[in-house]
Amino acid sequence: MKVQKTFLKLAERAFTYSYKLAFIRHVNGQQQHMSRGLPKKFPIAGVENVIVVASGKGGVGKSTTAVNLALGLAANDESKTVGILDADVYGPSLPTMMNVNAEPELNKQNLMIPLQNYGLKCMSMGFLVEENAPIVWRGMMVMSALQKLLRQVAWGPLDYLVIDMPPGTGDTQLSISQNIPINGALIVSTPQDIALLDARKGAEMFRKVDVPVLGLIQNMSIYTCPNCGHQEHIFGKDGIDKIAKAMKLDILGDIPLNKHIREGCDMGKPILVTDPNCPESLVYKDIARKVMEILKNQKNQIT
């Protein structure tokens, strides 16, 4: 309770200060100054690579994909350390999906120590508030909370930090994209037309803020009847191909519609933990492998 109360008190204080500061800047005509360029990005201490998993809309399985991607990164190379940050302040799902729900402790530097399960370092707003307590905050207060989840957590040493972004293209996405160096974004969508429209908007947003889009992930792509083997494209067929061609992006993987994937995350036992060699787990591992290769090639080009 001590960490929770301290965190909430600091967030409220930062909100009050930020609100006053924003008002003063507006009055003094600081908008012209801010328009000269984006704020400088500062790395997260001890974190080598940052990957954001995003979607244009909710309900497409983004959080499930983020959790299994993080587990896939760790499975592909056991020497690498992996963490996952749940950046959805209003609707955190990481405590349930990773079966961790405790109050983080503080180290000697007064930084929150990430909770751990299945070999991953985990941090979420869900660890800092009561389970059924709603977050009734305005945007600037949410931004303050996110800064603390990024900067006041003892993440390092960490090879990969996967950030599960909230759906949409709003304040949270822009704040994270403009304040920390991001190695790449993954866009998750179902084949449904309405989801694909929003997925394209999400990809365009990251490009506008100079975040590389590593590729697209098509979720719930096909359903296979467990009794007769009949396959059905419930949400549409090959819809993501059009966006991939139009935006010149790669499709990194097709994840089928499978109840075991959903059940695993609902129970806090992701499919990569319970059945690491099943076909669905192999798809997640393959996506993670491709992401690792892309990031490695990016660094080789820089050097």
Side-chain angles (χ1 to χ4, degrees):
M1 287 299 294
K2 184 179 178 181
V3 174
Q4 292 178 356
K5 290 180 179 178
T6 302
F7 183 87
L8 294 174
K9 189 178 291 184
L10 288 172
E12 290 171 357
R13 188 181 300 168
F15 168 70
T16 302
Y17 173 77
S18 299
Y19 185 84
K20 291 180 179 178
L21 184 61
F23 179 75
I24 292 171
R25 283 178 173 172
H26 177 72
V27 172
N28 292 334
Q30 292 298 314
Q31 290 178 337
Q32 291 182 352
H33 173 73
M34 293 297 291
S35 65
R36 295 174 186 170
L38 295 173
K40 189 174 181 179
K41 299 180 180 182
F42 293 98
I44 303 172
V47 177
E48 184 71 20
N49 297 283
V50 177
I51 305 163
V52 297
V53 180
S55 65
K57 66 187 286 86
V60 298
K62 171 187 53 59
S63 295
T64 300
T65 302
V67 165
N68 283 294
L69 170 69
L71 290 167
L73 292 169
N76 277 322
D77 189 343
E78 295 182 357
S79 68
K80 302 298 184 182
T81 53
V82 183
I84 181 166
L85 168 62
D86 185 353
D88 193 342
V89 172
Y90 293 114
S93 55
L94 191 65
T96 297
M97 291 187 172
M98 286 295 292
N99 194 27
V100 282
N101 198 356
E103 185 178 347
E105 296 181 356
L106 298 176
N107 64 12
K108 294 181 180 180
Q109 290 73 41
N110 212 33
L111 297 175
M112 290 183 286
I113 302 173
L115 303 181
Q116 295 197 41
N117 199 13
Y118 306 132
L120 302 184
K121 295 182 179 181
C122 307
M123 182 53 64
S124 169
M125 192 68 193
F127 303 153
L128 304 171
V129 297
E130 294 181 8
E131 184 176 1
N132 296 318
I135 302 295
V136 189
W137 289 353
R138 293 188 182 274
M140 295 183 70
M141 198 167 176
V142 173
M143 298 306 103
S144 174
L146 282 171
Q147 285 297 318
K148 289 173 174 54
L149 292 175
L150 289 167
R151 306 289 185 187
Q152 296 185 16
V153 174
W155 285 113
L158 208 60
D159 294 291
Y160 300 98
L161 176 61
V162 177
I163 301 181
D164 178 18
M165 301 283 260
T169 55
D171 286 346
T172 300
Q173 291 81 356
L174 288 173
S175 179
I176 292 176
S177 300
Q178 293 178 357
N179 281 279
I180 63 172
I182 297 175
N183 298 83
L186 297 171
I187 307 298
V188 180
S189 178
T190 62
Q192 190 177 5
D193 288 344
I194 193 68
L196 292 167
L197 287 171
D198 289 337
R200 179 164 186 169
K201 293 175 184 176
E204 293 286 5
M205 185 214 71
F206 284 113
R207 283 183 168 178
K208 286 185 177 180
V209 293
D210 296 324
V211 172
V213 179
L214 304 181
L216 305 170
I217 298 174
Q218 185 166 244
N219 197 27
M220 309 182 201
S221 60
I222 192 170
Y223 173 74
T224 302
C225 176
N227 296 320
C228 67
H230 173 72
Q231 292 186 329
E232 186 75 27
H233 296 273
I234 295 176
F235 293 105
K237 184 179 179 181
D238 301 327
I240 207 167
D241 290 342
K242 298 177 182 178
I243 293 181
K245 292 177 181 178
M247 300 189 70
K248 297 180 180 179
L249 293 172
D250 293 327
I251 301 173
L252 300 183
D254 284 292
I255 303 167
L257 178 62
N258 186 295
K259 74 171 185 176
H260 298 300
I261 297 176
R262 190 270 304 168
E263 288 175 345
C265 280
D266 283 352
M267 293 187 297
K269 298 177 180 179
I271 196 167
L272 261 167
V273 174
T274 59
D275 196 354
N277 294 314
C278 73
E280 293 76 22
S281 291
L282 295 179
V283 173
Y284 284 120
K285 287 182 182 179
D286 186 57
I287 293 172
R289 179 187 58 78
K290 291 176 181 176
V291 169
M292 296 171 81
E293 289 179 355
I294 293 171
L295 296 181
K296 183 178 179 181
N297 291 336
Q298 284 181 350
K299 292 189 176 181
N300 289 338
Q301 290 175 1
I302 294 175
T303 57

